[in-house]
Amino acid sequence: MAEAIDLYRHSAIGVALIETLNEMVASGALSPELAMAVIMQFDKGGNLRTYRFCDSIWTLNLRNTTFMNEEIETVLPKVKIVAYDMRLIEEPVVPITCQQCQ
């Protein structure tokens, strides 16, 4: 099983996730414990249907995904995540937040 996890973590998306989490922990935006929880969830695989990396933009499509925090938990049938390196954008983009999750 460790070999499958190693392959998954060493995929392009796994490396990008780990680099991003390390940056967030180093900047204090994320605790090391939460970063490890994200990595462990990533290892489980789960409901990631497709992913694509093109022109420095990640697009992830998920199905039946659970989002939760201390107060709420919600399952969404379809989720599309588009992520990009903010350092490559000249004008900062205001993130869109899910009204259902607030």
Side-chain angles (χ1 to χ4, degrees):
M1 181 68 176
E3 292 177 13
I5 289 174
D6 288 338
L7 287 174
Y8 201 45
R9 284 190 185 183
H10 288 93
S11 66
I13 194 167
V15 170
L17 174 64
I18 291 169
E19 287 176 1
T20 300
L21 291 171
N22 286 339
E23 288 176 15
M24 293 177 77
V25 168
S27 71
L30 196 66
S31 72
E33 295 80 15
L34 185 54
M36 185 54 78
V38 170
I39 291 172
M40 290 177 71
Q41 188 65 36
F42 176 77
D43 289 344
K44 292 180 184 178
N47 300 321
L48 178 64
R49 295 294 180 209
T50 61
Y51 68 91
R52 177 175 59 156
F53 182 69
C54 182
D55 295 331
S56 299
I57 299 173
W58 281 103
T59 304
L60 306 129
N61 291 299
L62 304 104
R63 298 280 190 264
N64 300 320
T65 305
T66 303
F67 289 91
M68 67 180 112
N69 65 18
E70 296 82 22
E71 299 171 7
I72 62 169
E73 179 175 329
T74 186
V75 178
L76 300 175
K78 293 181 181 181
V79 176
K80 182 175 185 177
I81 298 173
V82 178
Y84 53 90
D85 188 342
M86 290 292 291
R87 295 172 291 196
L88 301 176
I89 306 298
E90 292 180 16
E91 293 183 28
V93 177
V94 178
I96 299 171
T97 58
C98 174
Q99 297 300 321
Q100 182 180 358
C101 299
Q102 292 182 354

